[in-house]
Amino acid sequence: MPPSPTAVPPPSDRVRLRRKPGRGHYDRETIHAILDASPICHVGVVVDGAPIVTPTFQWREGEHVYIHGARTNRTLNVADGAEICVTVSLLDGLVLGRSAMNHSANFRSVVILGRATRIDDPEAKRARLKAFIESLYPGRWDTLRPITDTELKATAILSLPLDEASAKLREGGPMDDEADYALPIWAGVLPVRMTPGTPEPDPRNLADVSVPDHVTGFRIG
């Protein structure tokens, strides 16, 4: 169970939960766990006066999250040095109540606000990309063909501190109106899980190449 939402105050008013504040958590442990559990995030920036939200991969190292993409990526170029918003969301279950208004979802989410900084040093970029691959597939980086200088130049990596971050969680069953519990309507939770399937080998794999442990034993987060 995450620490009490009142145990750690919000780092800023910008990330303080106003609706359902009891679901808010601001402690590092909860925020780190959610970020580490999902590689997918959404990055919000303002481009030419209009908001743009782009899905991409993220990974955490200490008190920073990192996002990457092509050096020509418009979102990343606009985000460099700008105030951005990064969100990570995990759906844990669909909550079915006895009325339409009391349907809900069990979820874990993190919102991060802050100013993004592009990493330009080639060795720092190489280290960040290694950390990214290793966070998903431990042991894989050293088995790969080394990344080239050209590939590094073609890749943009942005860093965002976790100085302004908040988590929001919901868990448990439906919360119906007391009178509705007497109705003959099924209610409860339909759990939702994101799990890996059976590996599908590239048909051009060499005949003597076996499936590595970091693939057969892959677990999200």
Side-chain angles (χ1 to χ4, degrees), residues 49-93:
I52 300 291
V53 177
T54 302
T56 188
F57 272 62
Q58 64 83 24
W59 68 99
R60 181 185 67 86
E61 296 181 57
E63 292 301 315
H64 287 76
V65 294
Y66 297 89
I67 56 178
H68 85 296
R71 191 176 63 175
T72 56
N73 182 290
R74 181 177 67 163
T75 298
L76 295 187
N77 283 329
V78 171
D80 179 26
E83 286 283 337
I84 69 172
C85 177
V86 172
T87 62
V88 170
S89 301
L90 294 159
L91 177 64
D92 294 323

Side-chain angles (χ1 to χ4, degrees), residues 14 19 26 43-44 47 58 71 89 113 126 138 163 171:
R14 295 202 301 171
R19 186 175 183 276
Y26 309 101
V43 182
V47 179
Q58 64 83 24
R71 191 176 63 175
S89 301
L113 302 177
R126 195 186 306 271
D163 297 340
E171 56 189 0

Side-chain angles (χ1 to χ4, degrees), residues 33-44:
I34 295 171
L35 294 174
D36 295 347
S38 174
I40 294 292
C41 72
H42 287 81
V43 182

Side-chain angles (χ1 to χ4, degrees), residues 64-207:
H64 287 76
V65 294
Y66 297 89
I67 56 178
H68 85 296
R71 191 176 63 175
T72 56
N73 182 290
R74 181 177 67 163
T75 298
L76 295 187
N77 283 329
V78 171
D80 179 26
E83 286 283 337
I84 69 172
C85 177
V86 172
T87 62
V88 170
S89 301
L90 294 159
L91 177 64
D92 294 323
L94 300 174
V95 181
L96 288 73
R98 293 168 179 82
S99 70
M101 286 297 293
N102 287 329
H103 281 60
S104 187
N106 286 337
F107 64 90
R108 291 164 287 158
S109 64
V110 166
V111 172
I112 310 165
L113 302 177
R115 190 172 298 276
T117 303
R118 187 172 64 189
I119 297 175
D120 291 320
D121 178 73
E123 291 311 307
K125 288 171 68 174
R126 195 186 306 271
R128 299 290 73 75
L129 291 174
K130 178 180 180 179
F132 172 43
I133 293 296
E134 289 294 302
S135 71
L136 288 171
Y137 322 105
R140 185 167 181 82
W141 181 265
D142 290 337
T143 72
L144 301 176
R145 186 263 294 158
I147 193 168
T148 67
D149 292 341
T150 300
E151 290 170 333
L152 277 179
K153 290 179 181 178
T155 303
I157 300 177
L158 296 183
S159 170
L160 183 66
L162 294 178
D163 297 340
E164 286 188 274
S166 64
K168 186 176 182 181
L169 295 79
R170 188 203 189 276
E171 56 189 0
M175 292 179 283
D176 279 314
D177 298 349
E178 190 59 38
D180 291 345
Y181 287 98
L183 298 174
I185 300 170
W186 188 91
V189 177
L190 180 61
V192 175
R193 298 289 183 266
M194 185 166 60
T195 59
T198 302
E200 301 174 359
D202 185 335
R204 296 188 62 176
N205 281 346
L206 299 182

